[in-house]
Amino acid sequence: MRPVHLAAAAAALALLAACGEKPQTNAEGVKLDAAPWTGTGTKADTGTAFTASGWKVGDKAAWEQQLKTRAQNGQNDYTRDN
């Protein structure tokens, strides 16, 4: 077989390989998550080791303030001391 035919066959094989991909659909439908400020625990006023101290479950204003503070202090390179 000539190299041209071999290259054409390899290209055709590569193009046809994409036709065998399975669709990536969710069989259960859309799964809606809970609002992020509703907490991480399964009971009221519970959390995990990753829950900020002093934060109460369901406190949306405190949640948004914590995100603003974290973005300003942890992700803003202009406020960091090098």
Side-chain angles (χ1 to χ4, degrees):
M1 210 183 225
R2 293 201 285 183
V4 175
H5 294 299
L6 186 60
L13 183 64
L15 288 173
L16 290 175
C19 295
E21 185 176 350
K22 296 178 182 176
Q24 299 176 359
T25 58
N26 185 357
E28 293 89 30
V30 177
K31 180 179 178 184
L32 301 175
D33 289 333
W37 55 84
T38 58
T40 57
T42 56
K43 299 177 185 173
D45 296 329
T46 61
T48 65
F50 304 107
T51 304
S53 62
W55 178 73
K56 296 189 187 311
V57 174
D59 190 357
K60 181 180 178 181
W63 176 268
E64 290 174 347
Q65 182 60 40
Q66 175 64 26
L67 288 179
K68 288 178 187 176
T69 302
R70 185 173 17 165
Q72 185 63 30
N73 295 338
Q75 297 177 352
N76 188 351
D77 290 336
Y78 293 109
T79 61
R80 289 186 180 183
D81 291 332
N82 290 331

